[in-house]
Amino acid sequence: MKHKHVPVLIVGGGLTGLTSALFLARHNTDYLLIEKHAGTAIHPKAGGITFRTMELFRQLGLEKAIRTASEPLDHIRGRIAVETIKNIDLTELKQGESTQREIDKKIVERIEKISPSKAASCYQMDLEPILLRAAEQGKGHIRYNTELVAYRQDDLGVTATIVDRETGTKEIIRSDYLVAADGAKSTIRKHMKIPTTGRGVIGGHYINIYFQADLSYFLKGSQFGWIQILNPEAFGAFITVNNRDEWIYHVAYNPSNGERPEDFSEERCREIIKKAIGVSTIDIVIFSILPWAAVEHTATCFMDKRVFLTGDAAHLMPPTGGFGSNTGIQDAHNLAWKLAAVIQKKAHPRLLQTYHDERYDVVEKTTKYASDLLFKAMNKGVSTLNNMDHLAITVGYKYSSEAIIEEKFTTHRMDRLELNGKPGTRAPHMWLKDGDKYISVLDLIDENFVLLTGEDNKYWRTAAEDVASHLGICIDVYGLGSESNLVEYEGNWESVYNVSSEGAVLIRPDGFVAWRTKERILHSNEILKQVMTTILGEDSETI
């Protein structure tokens, strides 16, 4: 058998696996990604991309391509309930769409104040090819039709046996670390014997039917994202795929009554859809049929030494709120820079423990919030978690770990969005003018740490250069103000980040504030050195 060494082995080529590859490549870290299927996804699912995830795609240079792919679904919003598609009341429909547009406008206005990016709708089967093309152009290697059959880890790395499913050829891969992005039925999580907690199946079992049919005559340009069908013979919901002639129909089944996914043949699915439309003569082409369930599961730990669980391998949540795949992509983003720093010997391996410490709490809150939204939709009541602000769940959460220098005597709220430069939170967005270009503060964040200061930043720049040289890392220093290269275009950075003109804010490569000082401090060189060594796991002394 062939033997090969690679810094990171990624198992799973879905959204979490592909973004893991892209983020690692951005940090100049080699990887091998293997995926047991022959290619990217072929069924439309995971269609909602939050503005926070779009910020990450913006960092990867993919925002424009994904925005173009999402154009057919840009204005798909809201819900409507009807007996059948044929019985839609167009007057009521237009009134509902008008109301929905007003709701959307208010949401967009809130997001524009806190982000340079907008949410998008792009199904996994359309998004994965974009990510794959980008990955193939960069550092690393991707193999489809390749499966992990065994692995073991020791103090120095992971030894994996992989097999080419087409030829049967086995190969030994030696890696420093393994990223498990192998989905909801993760064999790696089972091998690690990590249990899950949660309420299991909480929203029932469903059949997801992907089909083609021209419904334009009945919908007259309607752009509702969810059309509930109340016909008891075909109770379910239509979701558009391309806003033209491709659709998904969700229909429930009940295993406790002996119903099975195998019972839903193409012919039966075709008849169900015809009853939901209300017309028996319409032409329907079935593309694929996929069973699924609304599940709440979270692994009790997201890592075991050199192996890390990401995405659905680590957590499953109901689709309500559209958090599932976005949460997995943000797992990948949090982990990648830490793996790169450790592999490149810029950080101590203890930095990797902060992946679980930071992501677990965020995932737990997000999962419970998504479940509560589902219970609300099903009229089963709402817990107090629904007092949390939806935008706070999307971007306003706070990390707590050894890689964050906490400020004493501060609290963090989730019932309203608070992005004010507090350590552990995503760096606040504000527009800057760089020459004749307009950029966001978030556009300054790349593979390095970023130190934001006032316009007179000579002593901070000197401190950063000394510390970076001592630790063998890079710290990008940006002075903000009317006399600097970067001029505040909207807002004042001191008020946005809650510092004085002589303060400083240190931002991690994942865009989260690691530390700040509101005022100028004596011995800034020594303090910044202590901050960086603590964050990178080299020194656990409290600042």
Side-chain angles (χ1 to χ4, degrees):
M1 290 188 290
K2 297 178 181 178
H3 292 69
K4 179 181 179 180
H5 177 268
V6 66
V8 182
L9 174 63
I10 304 170
V11 180
L15 294 178
T16 303
L18 286 169
T19 49
S20 294
L22 288 166
F23 293 135
L24 284 169
R26 189 166 184 81
H27 291 286
N28 300 306
T29 300
D30 198 7
Y31 63 86
L32 169 64
L33 182 153
I34 62 172
E35 165 56 51
K36 67 180 181 180
H37 293 103
T40 55
I42 60 173
H43 193 96
K45 54 183 179 179
I49 307 176
T50 67
F51 67 89
R52 173 56 186 156
T53 301
M54 288 297 286
E55 291 173 3
L56 308 188
F57 289 141
R58 178 187 183 93
Q59 191 179 55
L60 292 171
L62 298 176
E63 186 178 33
K64 183 177 180 181
I66 295 170
R67 180 70 57 201
T68 299
S70 75
E71 285 177 356
L73 302 179
D74 270 354
H75 303 291
I76 302 300
R77 296 288 187 275
R79 308 166 71 99
I80 190 172
V82 296
E83 186 70 17
T84 66
I85 292 290
K86 181 183 177 181
N87 297 132
I88 285 179
D89 184 327
L90 293 179
T91 301
E92 182 180 346
L93 201 64
K94 295 302 179 184
Q95 291 173 346
E97 287 180 334
S98 177
T99 301
Q100 188 62 45
R101 279 193 294 271
E102 289 301 313
I103 295 172
D104 291 347
K105 182 180 178 182
K106 293 178 180 178
I107 294 173
V108 168
E109 288 173 350
R110 286 192 69 191
I111 293 174
E112 285 178 342
K113 294 177 181 178
I114 59 173
S115 176
S117 301
K118 297 178 181 178
S121 296
C122 184
Y123 285 107
Q124 186 171 346
M125 67 179 189
D126 298 317
L127 179 56
E128 283 185 9
I130 296 174
L131 302 179
L132 177 60
R133 285 193 294 272
E136 289 174 336
Q137 294 170 7
K139 192 178 184 73
H141 310 277
I142 297 176
R143 299 189 203 171
Y144 284 90
N145 244 339
T146 304
E147 187 172 6
L148 176 75
V149 293
Y151 82 90
R152 59 180 174 81
Q153 59 175 317
D154 53 48
D155 291 341
L156 300 177
V158 180
T159 302
T161 303
I162 65 175
V163 61
D164 185 312
R165 300 182 74 190
E166 188 172 354
T167 66
T169 302
K170 288 186 177 180
E171 187 174 349
I172 301 297
I173 300 294
R174 180 70 175 170
S175 64
D176 299 321
Y177 298 98
L178 188 155
V179 174
D182 55 338
K185 298 179 181 179
S186 173
T187 57
I188 296 174
R189 186 188 67 235
K190 293 174 183 176
H191 183 270
M192 294 162 69
K193 296 182 180 178
I194 294 179
T196 61
T197 59
R199 290 172 280 188
V201 177
I202 60 174
H205 294 81
Y206 301 90
I207 299 295
N208 184 306
I209 310 166
Y210 175 31
F211 70 98
Q212 183 178 55
D214 184 0
L215 304 183
S216 58
Y217 173 79
F218 307 104
L219 297 176
K220 308 296 185 186
S222 165
Q223 295 185 327
F224 276 91
W226 180 278
I227 303 176
Q228 184 76 51
I229 299 301
L230 304 177
N231 180 355
E233 294 185 7
F235 188 83
F238 284 99
I239 300 176
T240 185
V241 173
N242 63 2
N243 205 27
R244 296 190 305 273
D245 60 350
E246 292 184 16
W247 302 84
I248 301 166
Y249 194 67
H250 285 297
V251 60
Y253 72 97
N254 191 343
S256 63
N257 290 341
E259 294 180 302
R260 307 170 304 158
E262 295 83 359
D263 298 332
F264 289 83
S265 64
E266 284 194 15
E267 186 56 37
R268 182 181 177 190
C269 288
R270 200 173 284 112
E271 290 305 311
I272 290 171
I273 293 169
K274 286 180 179 180
K275 289 178 180 178
I277 296 172
V279 177
S280 60
T281 56
I282 195 165
D283 291 330
I284 296 171
V285 177
I286 304 293
F287 292 136
S288 58
I289 302 168
L290 183 71
W292 68 282
V295 176
E296 181 194 293
H297 273 161
T298 304
T300 56
C301 187
F302 289 0
M303 60 181 290
D304 175 27
K305 300 175 184 175
R306 291 176 174 266
V307 181
F308 301 87
L309 299 177
T310 60
D312 286 354
H315 44 75
L316 286 173
M317 60 190 73
T320 37
F323 295 108
S325 61
N326 293 280
T327 305
I329 291 168
Q330 288 157 40
D331 291 342
H333 190 239
N334 180 282
L335 179 60
W337 76 270
K338 297 173 181 178
L339 283 172
V342 172
I343 289 167
Q344 295 166 19
K345 301 189 183 308
K346 296 176 180 178
H348 191 281
R350 69 168 61 95
L351 173 65
L352 298 174
Q353 175 62 43
T354 68
Y355 168 66
H356 167 82
D357 296 342
E358 293 178 353
R359 292 303 298 165
Y360 183 82
D361 183 62
V362 171
V363 165
E364 194 172 45
K365 283 185 173 67
T366 305
T367 301
K368 290 181 178 178
Y369 182 76
S371 296
D372 287 347
L373 291 179
L374 179 60
F375 283 127
K376 180 180 180 180
M378 297 171 64
N379 298 316
K380 290 187 176 180
V382 183
S383 84
T384 55
L385 282 172
N386 262 328
N387 291 329
M388 291 191 288
D389 188 317
H390 190 88
L391 293 187
I393 291 293
T394 303
V395 74
Y397 49 82
K398 178 179 175 293
Y399 288 151
S400 295
S401 77
E402 294 294 328
I404 299 292
I405 309 301
E406 300 272 4
E407 291 179 344
K408 296 179 180 179
F409 312 116
T410 61
T411 59
H412 186 71
R413 300 180 62 168
M414 289 293 287
D415 60 338
R416 68 185 186 194
L417 184 65
E418 290 185 338
L419 292 174
N420 53 17
K422 182 187 302 179
T425 62
R426 197 269 267 143
H429 153 71
M430 61 178 291
W431 288 110
L432 306 172
K433 192 171 183 181
D434 181 12
D436 59 353
K437 294 191 307 181
Y438 295 95
I439 64 171
S440 168
V441 166
L442 302 184
D443 295 328
L444 302 176
I445 301 163
D446 204 342
E447 66 265 25
N448 302 327
F449 279 81
V450 167
L451 189 67
L452 297 183
T453 73
E455 56 193 14
D456 181 13
N457 69 353
K458 292 180 182 178
Y459 62 94
W460 279 118
R461 186 174 294 279
T462 299
E465 288 173 353
D466 290 346
V467 172
S469 176
H470 177 79
L471 297 177
I473 61 172
C474 292
I475 303 175
D476 297 327
V477 183
Y478 296 99
L480 308 182
S482 59
E483 301 300 321
S484 303
N485 291 333
L486 295 175
V487 178
E488 301 140 321
Y489 177 67
E490 287 183 356
N492 173 273
W493 98 274
E494 297 164 25
S495 60
V496 171
Y497 281 82
N498 194 19
V499 294
S500 73
S501 62
E502 295 186 320
V505 178
L506 182 69
I507 304 173
R508 305 188 320 187
D510 61 354
F512 279 74
V513 176
W515 168 81
R516 73 176 169 186
T517 175
K518 298 183 179 183
E519 306 289 343
R520 183 172 182 173
I521 53 177
L522 297 175
H523 311 296
S524 56
N525 188 307
E526 289 83 354
I527 293 296
L528 186 59
K529 178 182 176 182
Q530 182 65 66
V531 164
M532 288 302 307
T533 54
T534 299
I535 291 167
L536 295 174
E538 302 289 355
D539 186 345
S540 59
E541 183 179 339
T542 302
I543 305 300

